[in-house]
Amino acid sequence: MTYERDLAFNLRIRGIPECEIAEIMAEVRVHEAATGTPAKDEFGAAQEYAKQFPKGKSRSRGTAITAVAVAASLVYVLAVVVTPFLGVDIQESVGPMTLLPALAVSLGGVLAGFLTDCLRPVSSSSQA
């Protein structure tokens, strides 16, 4: 993982808004170009450098993806577990139901959320 991608990821999970991340990344690039030294040598590890910024309140796109997937899994689990107690047999219309799809959706959502935050490029500060 490049330093910029690692720094952007760590800033996202700290809740820093994208516009601020773009500004931080622009400053890092300018400083790197001006001094000619790699950003890691100048600022230290990306995770440690990201800790210098106060935690924000915004949620990353990856967090939202994970939350939606987990919510969908919970709705599915509730449908499987609760409906028999309500006297509704949904298995007659949809067939046998297991909890494996809920697990797959949850894990897929966590993976998709992580990859979204990790691999999404930083927008330029003029666009954000």
Side-chain angles (χ1 to χ4, degrees):
M1 189 180 299
T2 67
Y3 186 83
E4 288 184 13
R5 183 173 284 167
D6 195 23
L7 179 58
F9 173 72
N10 282 288
L11 291 170
R12 283 183 182 124
I13 61 174
R14 290 188 61 78
I16 309 291
E18 282 296 313
C19 59
E20 289 182 39
I21 292 173
E23 291 173 10
I24 293 166
M25 299 306 292
E27 290 173 12
V28 167
R29 287 183 199 115
V30 166
H31 189 76
E32 194 173 28
T35 62
T37 58
K40 186 173 183 175
D41 294 344
E42 195 68 33
F43 299 107
Q47 187 174 10
E48 295 303 316
Y49 184 55
K51 287 180 182 177
Q52 295 179 7
F53 298 94
K55 285 190 174 186
K57 293 183 180 181
S58 69
R59 294 192 180 202
S60 68
R61 190 174 294 167
T63 303
I65 290 170
T66 301
V68 168
V70 170
S73 295
L74 289 175
V75 168
Y76 179 84
V77 168
L78 284 174
V80 170
V81 173
V82 174
T83 54
F85 292 111
L86 299 175
V88 178
D89 189 11
I90 59 174
Q91 292 186 9
E92 286 180 7
S93 57
V94 296
M97 297 179 71
T98 65
L99 297 179
L100 210 50
L103 179 62
V105 169
S106 291
L107 291 177
V110 169
L111 180 62
F114 171 77
L115 290 175
T116 298
D117 281 345
C118 184
L119 300 177
R120 186 172 55 145
V122 176
S123 59
S124 67
S125 56
S126 62
Q127 292 176 343

